[in-house]
Each structure stands twice: as C-alpha cells, then as structure tokens.
Amino acid sequence: FDFTDGFTSATAPAGGGVAATELESHASDAAYVTANGTAANGDIYYNSTDNKVRIYENGAWVENASFEA
C-alpha cells in the first residue's frame, strides 16, 4: 500500500476496518467543524466533495486516502 504522505506498507489491513459509508460525510473541513463544533487530533470524516477521507492531525486536516465511485 502506498499512502499520500509517502509511507509504504507491505502489511495488509486487518479485517473489520471502517468503511467510508460508516464515516460522517461532510462537503468540507469547515462543514465538519460547523456540525461538530471543533476538530481534535484523530477526528476523521469523509469529504463528499473531494471523495477523500480527511483526518485532523496536529492542528490541520490531512488527506488519508482516495475513494473512487
């Protein structure tokens, strides 16, 4: 697996992961904050505009993965 931050892993993910359909869905980072009041490290949501999973890390939103329909 190759990640957008350059990390590469040969380890397959364990079963029982979270599907994108199980995440909160928002159109933007701002929409997430509006709905939840704030963002904290480890917060995660599906960005329905960009079709990407976003994670809040060290004070900023980062892209974790792309999902194509």
Side-chain angles (χ1 to χ4, degrees):
F1 298 98
D2 294 323
F3 297 88
T4 58
D5 65 358
F7 181 79
T8 300
S9 174
T11 304
V18 176
T21 55
E22 296 175 3
L23 298 175
E24 286 184 49
S25 180
H26 299 281
S28 67
D29 300 342
Y32 176 92
V33 172
T34 298
N36 292 285
T38 189
N41 282 339
D43 283 355
I44 185 171
Y45 80 96
Y46 178 76
N47 184 307
S48 58
T49 301
D50 297 332
N51 294 323
K52 296 188 183 283
V53 172
R54 303 276 286 164
I55 299 173
Y56 197 77
E57 180 179 281
N58 298 320
W61 288 102
V62 295
E63 292 175 2
N64 184 40
S66 253
F67 295 91
E68 299 296 326

